[in-house]
Amino acid sequence: QLLILMEAGMTTRQAWHRIAYQYSEKRKKALIEDSEVYAAIVQMDRKLADGENERSAYESVVTQMDSMCYRRLMRLLINNLQKGNKDICQQLGIEAKQAYEQRILLAKKLGEEASTKMLIPMMLMMLVVMAIIMAPAMMGFAV
């Protein structure tokens, strides 16, 4: 969302404000649940509105986040504050692609773990079905 807003011509500060405002409005209407990430963004937007400089606001978000993706995003924004915003959209696009690929890999890993956990119950069900089928057959041999 940040990338889209910045490519549309907004500054980084305006884009963060817009994201925080949209989240706050959806939160008031109870359309979405609480999110640690958005809560940090809203807090950062308040700090920026109170006059704190962008670098310290971004650094405060870095300390709050557990996710490496968001830490990299904030480090990228801090570096671009120092260097200038020449290639920020390109770098954000690359970061977005990497984050998407990581989400895909995580989903695959969780799917594999879930299928492994389901293996034992499936085996037990197969044994029960085999017992149901084999019991009458064995009884038939005994007669």
Side-chain angles (χ1 to χ4, degrees), residues 100-114:
Y100 181 71
E101 289 171 2
Q102 284 180 350
R103 286 179 62 193
I104 289 173
L105 291 174
L106 180 63
K108 285 181 182 177
K109 180 182 173 187
L110 292 175
E112 290 171 358
E113 288 176 4

PDB file of all heavy atoms in Angstrom, residues 100-114:
ATOM      1  N   TYR A 100       6.342 -11.023  -0.511  1.00  0.00           N
ATOM      2  CA  TYR A 100       5.322 -11.913  -1.074  1.00  0.00           C
ATOM      3  C   TYR A 100       5.865 -13.333  -1.222  1.00  0.00           C
ATOM      4  O   TYR A 100       5.191 -14.306  -0.883  1.00  0.00           O
ATOM      5  CB  TYR A 100       4.854 -11.369  -2.424  1.00  0.00           C
ATOM      6  CG  TYR A 100       3.779 -12.196  -3.074  1.00  0.00           C
ATOM      7  CD1 TYR A 100       2.494 -12.211  -2.551  1.00  0.00           C
ATOM      8  CD2 TYR A 100       4.055 -12.968  -4.184  1.00  0.00           C
ATOM      9  CE1 TYR A 100       1.503 -12.970  -3.135  1.00  0.00           C
ATOM     10  CE2 TYR A 100       3.071 -13.742  -4.778  1.00  0.00           C
ATOM     11  CZ  TYR A 100       1.796 -13.730  -4.253  1.00  0.00           C
ATOM     12  OH  TYR A 100       0.828 -14.498  -4.836  1.00  0.00           O
ATOM     13  N   GLU A 101       7.092 -13.448  -1.707  1.00  0.00           N
ATOM     14  CA  GLU A 101       7.716 -14.770  -1.855  1.00  0.00           C
ATOM     15  C   GLU A 101       7.900 -15.447  -0.494  1.00  0.00           C
ATOM     16  O   GLU A 101       7.706 -16.654  -0.363  1.00  0.00           O
ATOM     17  CB  GLU A 101       9.055 -14.647  -2.576  1.00  0.00           C
ATOM     18  CG  GLU A 101       8.915 -14.295  -4.049  1.00  0.00           C
ATOM     19  CD  GLU A 101      10.240 -13.964  -4.717  1.00  0.00           C
ATOM     20  OE1 GLU A 101      11.296 -14.048  -4.043  1.00  0.00           O
ATOM     21  OE2 GLU A 101      10.222 -13.620  -5.904  1.00  0.00           O
ATOM     22  N   GLN A 102       8.250 -14.677   0.523  1.00  0.00           N
ATOM     23  CA  GLN A 102       8.396 -15.237   1.864  1.00  0.00           C
ATOM     24  C   GLN A 102       7.059 -15.728   2.406  1.00  0.00           C
ATOM     25  O   GLN A 102       6.999 -16.753   3.070  1.00  0.00           O
ATOM     26  CB  GLN A 102       9.000 -14.201   2.817  1.00  0.00           C
ATOM     27  CG  GLN A 102      10.480 -14.001   2.619  1.00  0.00           C
ATOM     28  CD  GLN A 102      11.046 -12.975   3.581  1.00  0.00           C
ATOM     29  OE1 GLN A 102      10.311 -12.280   4.282  1.00  0.00           O
ATOM     30  NE2 GLN A 102      12.365 -12.868   3.611  1.00  0.00           N
ATOM     31  N   ARG A 103       5.992 -14.991   2.108  1.00  0.00           N
ATOM     32  CA  ARG A 103       4.665 -15.426   2.550  1.00  0.00           C
ATOM     33  C   ARG A 103       4.282 -16.736   1.873  1.00  0.00           C
ATOM     34  O   ARG A 103       3.685 -17.618   2.500  1.00  0.00           O
ATOM     35  CB  ARG A 103       3.614 -14.363   2.229  1.00  0.00           C
ATOM     36  CG  ARG A 103       3.688 -13.169   3.146  1.00  0.00           C
ATOM     37  CD  ARG A 103       2.670 -12.128   2.817  1.00  0.00           C
ATOM     38  NE  ARG A 103       1.324 -12.651   2.973  1.00  0.00           N
ATOM     39  CZ  ARG A 103       0.249 -12.036   2.509  1.00  0.00           C
ATOM     40  NH1 ARG A 103       0.357 -10.884   1.869  1.00  0.00           N
ATOM     41  NH2 ARG A 103      -0.948 -12.567   2.686  1.00  0.00           N
ATOM     42  N   ILE A 104       4.615 -16.875   0.594  1.00  0.00           N
ATOM     43  CA  ILE A 104       4.318 -18.113  -0.131  1.00  0.00           C
ATOM     44  C   ILE A 104       5.093 -19.271   0.483  1.00  0.00           C
ATOM     45  O   ILE A 104       4.545 -20.359   0.709  1.00  0.00           O
ATOM     46  CB  ILE A 104       4.635 -17.957  -1.632  1.00  0.00           C
ATOM     47  CG1 ILE A 104       3.615 -17.030  -2.283  1.00  0.00           C
ATOM     48  CG2 ILE A 104       4.648 -19.311  -2.328  1.00  0.00           C
ATOM     49  CD1 ILE A 104       3.922 -16.682  -3.718  1.00  0.00           C
ATOM     50  N   LEU A 105       6.376 -19.061   0.751  1.00  0.00           N
ATOM     51  CA  LEU A 105       7.187 -20.119   1.354  1.00  0.00           C
ATOM     52  C   LEU A 105       6.674 -20.502   2.740  1.00  0.00           C
ATOM     53  O   LEU A 105       6.643 -21.682   3.099  1.00  0.00           O
ATOM     54  CB  LEU A 105       8.653 -19.681   1.431  1.00  0.00           C
ATOM     55  CG  LEU A 105       9.396 -19.570   0.101  1.00  0.00           C
ATOM     56  CD1 LEU A 105      10.794 -18.993   0.319  1.00  0.00           C
ATOM     57  CD2 LEU A 105       9.475 -20.927  -0.573  1.00  0.00           C
ATOM     58  N   LEU A 106       6.260 -19.521   3.519  1.00  0.00           N
ATOM     59  CA  LEU A 106       5.722 -19.795   4.840  1.00  0.00           C
ATOM     60  C   LEU A 106       4.419 -20.590   4.746  1.00  0.00           C
ATOM     61  O   LEU A 106       4.201 -21.530   5.514  1.00  0.00           O
ATOM     62  CB  LEU A 106       5.485 -18.493   5.610  1.00  0.00           C
ATOM     63  CG  LEU A 106       4.915 -18.637   7.017  1.00  0.00           C
ATOM     64  CD1 LEU A 106       5.885 -19.391   7.925  1.00  0.00           C
ATOM     65  CD2 LEU A 106       4.608 -17.273   7.601  1.00  0.00           C
ATOM     66  N   ALA A 107       3.570 -20.235   3.778  1.00  0.00           N
ATOM     67  CA  ALA A 107       2.317 -20.969   3.594  1.00  0.00           C
ATOM     68  C   ALA A 107       2.590 -22.420   3.195  1.00  0.00           C
ATOM     69  O   ALA A 107       1.926 -23.344   3.687  1.00  0.00           O
ATOM     70  CB  ALA A 107       1.452 -20.284   2.545  1.00  0.00           C
ATOM     71  N   LYS A 108       3.575 -22.623   2.328  1.00  0.00           N
ATOM     72  CA  LYS A 108       3.933 -23.990   1.933  1.00  0.00           C
ATOM     73  C   LYS A 108       4.447 -24.781   3.133  1.00  0.00           C
ATOM     74  O   LYS A 108       4.090 -25.937   3.332  1.00  0.00           O
ATOM     75  CB  LYS A 108       4.999 -23.976   0.841  1.00  0.00           C
ATOM     76  CG  LYS A 108       4.482 -23.606  -0.524  1.00  0.00           C
ATOM     77  CD  LYS A 108       5.595 -23.637  -1.543  1.00  0.00           C
ATOM     78  CE  LYS A 108       5.109 -23.216  -2.910  1.00  0.00           C
ATOM     79  NZ  LYS A 108       6.191 -23.178  -3.895  1.00  0.00           N
ATOM     80  N   LYS A 109       5.287 -24.149   3.925  1.00  0.00           N
ATOM     81  CA  LYS A 109       5.853 -24.822   5.098  1.00  0.00           C
ATOM     82  C   LYS A 109       4.754 -25.200   6.083  1.00  0.00           C
ATOM     83  O   LYS A 109       4.728 -26.324   6.600  1.00  0.00           O
ATOM     84  CB  LYS A 109       6.872 -23.900   5.772  1.00  0.00           C
ATOM     85  CG  LYS A 109       7.515 -24.485   7.004  1.00  0.00           C
ATOM     86  CD  LYS A 109       8.465 -23.493   7.645  1.00  0.00           C
ATOM     87  CE  LYS A 109       8.981 -24.020   8.963  1.00  0.00           C
ATOM     88  NZ  LYS A 109       9.767 -23.025   9.683  1.00  0.00           N
ATOM     89  N   LEU A 110       3.828 -24.276   6.338  1.00  0.00           N
ATOM     90  CA  LEU A 110       2.732 -24.563   7.259  1.00  0.00           C
ATOM     91  C   LEU A 110       1.817 -25.650   6.705  1.00  0.00           C
ATOM     92  O   LEU A 110       1.312 -26.490   7.455  1.00  0.00           O
ATOM     93  CB  LEU A 110       1.938 -23.288   7.550  1.00  0.00           C
ATOM     94  CG  LEU A 110       2.667 -22.216   8.360  1.00  0.00           C
ATOM     95  CD1 LEU A 110       1.812 -20.958   8.476  1.00  0.00           C
ATOM     96  CD2 LEU A 110       3.048 -22.734   9.730  1.00  0.00           C
ATOM     97  N   GLY A 111       1.622 -25.669   5.391  1.00  0.00           N
ATOM     98  CA  GLY A 111       0.821 -26.716   4.772  1.00  0.00           C
ATOM     99  C   GLY A 111       1.465 -28.080   4.907  1.00  0.00           C
ATOM    100  O   GLY A 111       0.783 -29.081   5.173  1.00  0.00           O
ATOM    101  N   GLU A 112       2.773 -28.130   4.720  1.00  0.00           N
ATOM    102  CA  GLU A 112       3.487 -29.398   4.878  1.00  0.00           C
ATOM    103  C   GLU A 112       3.427 -29.884   6.326  1.00  0.00           C
ATOM    104  O   GLU A 112       3.258 -31.074   6.585  1.00  0.00           O
ATOM    105  CB  GLU A 112       4.934 -29.243   4.427  1.00  0.00           C
ATOM    106  CG  GLU A 112       5.087 -29.079   2.925  1.00  0.00           C
ATOM    107  CD  GLU A 112       6.495 -28.715   2.507  1.00  0.00           C
ATOM    108  OE1 GLU A 112       7.361 -28.540   3.385  1.00  0.00           O
ATOM    109  OE2 GLU A 112       6.721 -28.603   1.290  1.00  0.00           O
ATOM    110  N   GLU A 113       3.565 -28.965   7.275  1.00  0.00           N
ATOM    111  CA  GLU A 113       3.479 -29.335   8.686  1.00  0.00           C
ATOM    112  C   GLU A 113       2.087 -29.859   9.025  1.00  0.00           C
ATOM    113  O   GLU A 113       1.947 -30.835   9.760  1.00  0.00           O
ATOM    114  CB  GLU A 113       3.828 -28.141   9.569  1.00  0.00           C
ATOM    115  CG  GLU A 113       5.301 -27.785   9.562  1.00  0.00           C
ATOM    116  CD  GLU A 113       5.611 -26.531  10.359  1.00  0.00           C
ATOM    117  OE1 GLU A 113       4.685 -25.963  10.994  1.00  0.00           O
ATOM    118  OE2 GLU A 113       6.782 -26.123  10.358  1.00  0.00           O
ATOM    119  N   ALA A 114       1.070 -29.216   8.468  1.00  0.00           N
ATOM    120  CA  ALA A 114      -0.303 -29.656   8.734  1.00  0.00           C
ATOM    121  C   ALA A 114      -0.551 -31.034   8.140  1.00  0.00           C
ATOM    122  O   ALA A 114      -1.192 -31.882   8.771  1.00  0.00           O
ATOM    123  CB  ALA A 114      -1.295 -28.651   8.170  1.00  0.00           C
TER     124      ALA A 114
END
